[in-house]
Each structure stands twice: as structure tokens, then as C-alpha cells.
Amino acid sequence: TPLTAHGDAVPVLQGIALTLSVADLAWSPSGTLVYGTGSSESNMVTLQRADRGGKLVVFDPAWSGQFNSFAMAPDRRRVAVGVNTPGSGLDIWVKELERGPFARLTFSGRDRRPAWSPDGREIAFVRDSGSGGDVFAHAVDGGGTERRLAHLDRAIQEVSWSHDGRWILVRTETGAAGNGDILALSTRSDSALVRVATSNFTELQPAFSPDGRWVAYVSNDAMTNEVYVRPF
């Protein structure tokens, strides 16, 4: 026979910490409850910007979420964020600044690491899959269909556009020593991968120079993370 609840709910504990909307608590077999304390918003992120003097300003005090990555639009009027929504997974959303609407752009539940195209018309993002990693791009206005820019047989962790929009840089998974490699692909054709930095060390955070002639990245080649620059 199904059990039914009777009477009003009564708070037993308050101020229990949450991690990704899951309460940090556990029952022992003897009936003892062990729990962590903290704000119920401790897993929420509020985006702020800093001026050159170090002053922090919140974009929109009423806007927060489980953001795992974000990127500012070229016009500085919009920000794209990867949002973890309980029950829906990770997707890309776009926020109009300062206090404009917050619109969902993707719906796969596996999308993160947004990167704006130089003209601000598209957002590229990483999509996780069991067969490797993909980079897709979608029009910011939500129209049309998404297009795949890259597919690799291993996970992708970062994507970055060249300033003319003709190339993207991707950084592969860094779960093991030497796995973090930086590769370039054309956005206009099915060209072969260009190996930019593929050593036995770990490379991170690739970025094109404004003229597209150089690539900067971080490497632990010297046993500590340092910035390197090489021609493209």
C-alpha cells in the first residue's frame, strides 16, 4: 500500500550546502545525519566586470546561474554562457546586457565553452559526445540550423576564432600528460587539421593575434605554465 503524508511540513534543518542542486548530507545506519552548511546559492554564479581601476560591477543583480564558461560579444553588449540546468544538462544561453533578456541558444544538453565569431553573428561551442569531441556554430539570432566546424576522435576543451573568421583553434582534452594539443581548422572548407602545438607537454588557452599571423598559448614545457608565441 502506498504511503501518504499527513500534516504540514516542518523544517528539520536549514542552511544545508548544495552542490549542483544536490544537498550535501548523508544518513548513517544508526540514524545520525551528517551534513555540510552553506548558502543555498553557493553553487550559483553572478557575472561581474572589472574596470581598469579594479572596481567590480555586477551586470544584473537579479541574474545568476550555474555558469561553467562565458564569452563577451565583440560589441560588448551581450554575453554567451554555458549554463548547467538541472534536468536539462549543459547548453548555451545569450544574455543582453545590462538587464536585458536571457535566451537559450542550444538544446542538446551537452554544449559548453561559447566563442563569438568576430562579426558577432555566430557562436561556436564545444559539444561533448561519446565518440570524441565536436565544435558547432549557431546563428546568435537563433535562426537556421547549427553547423559543425570540427570533429575529433578525442574530447575538445576550448575553441577560439581567428579575427578574420576563417580559422578556429581547438584545444584537446588534458586528462593525461601530453594530451593537451592545439590544432587549427578552416571554417570555410573541410580542410585537414593544422598542428599548431602538439608536443609531449600540455598546451592550453590558444589565441590568435589580431593580424592572424601568430598564435599565443600556455605550455608546461618548462615544467611550469608559461606563455609561448609561434607563427601561424
Side-chain angles (χ1 to χ4, degrees):
T1 302
L3 300 178
T4 59
H6 297 277
D8 297 330
V10 178
V12 177
L13 290 171
Q14 295 180 327
I16 298 176
L18 298 178
T19 300
L20 296 179
S21 299
V22 178
D24 291 337
L25 56 82
W27 287 100
S28 73
S30 65
T32 300
L33 178 63
V34 180
Y35 63 97
T37 60
S39 168
S40 61
E41 300 296 323
S42 59
N43 61 332
M44 306 297 279
V45 176
T46 300
L47 293 187
Q48 305 178 55
R49 63 172 155 204
D51 62 20
R52 292 182 180 273
K55 181 181 178 180
L56 293 175
V57 178
V58 177
F59 283 118
D60 185 344
W63 177 53
S64 62
Q66 295 180 17
F67 308 147
N68 79 327
S69 52
F70 63 93
M72 185 73 75
D75 62 9
R76 298 297 188 264
R77 297 177 180 176
R78 297 163 293 173
V79 63
V81 294
V83 181
N84 179 36
T85 304
S88 299
L90 279 169
D91 282 298
I92 306 301
W93 293 63
V94 178
K95 167 73 170 174
E96 295 283 345
L97 303 176
E98 299 287 331
R99 303 189 181 188
F102 188 39
R104 188 173 181 175
L105 184 67
T106 70
F107 294 84
S108 80
R110 296 175 286 123
D111 301 332
R112 56 187 174 83
R113 294 280 189 170
W116 292 80
S117 64
D119 60 10
R121 296 180 179 179
E122 289 185 294
I123 293 176
F125 51 89
V126 174
R127 174 168 294 166
D128 297 320
S129 69
S131 60
D134 295 285
V135 175
F136 285 85
H138 201 298
V140 178
D141 62 9
T145 59
E146 61 189 21
R147 60 190 182 108
R148 189 163 72 178
L149 301 180
H151 172 75
L152 300 182
D153 59 1
R154 49 181 167 158
I156 297 173
Q157 295 296 339
E158 290 183 82
V159 57
S160 177
W161 295 77
S162 65
H163 287 255
D164 61 7
R166 296 178 58 189
W167 293 88
I168 59 169
L169 293 171
V170 298
R171 189 261 294 176
T172 62
E173 176 64 71
T174 58
N179 276 6
D181 290 331
I182 296 172
L183 310 167
L185 302 97
S186 171
T187 62
R188 300 184 179 181
S189 64
D190 294 328
S191 62
L193 287 169
V194 176
R195 298 182 178 274
V196 177
T198 57
S199 71
N200 291 326
F201 300 95
T202 297
E203 289 84 26
L204 306 165
Q205 300 174 338
F208 279 106
S209 63
D211 62 8
R213 297 174 59 189
W214 302 87
V215 172
Y217 59 93
V218 174
S219 174
N220 64 356
D221 189 344
M223 311 311 293
T224 185
N225 284 343
E226 296 180 334
V227 177
Y228 292 77
V229 177
R230 65 170 55 193
F232 179 72

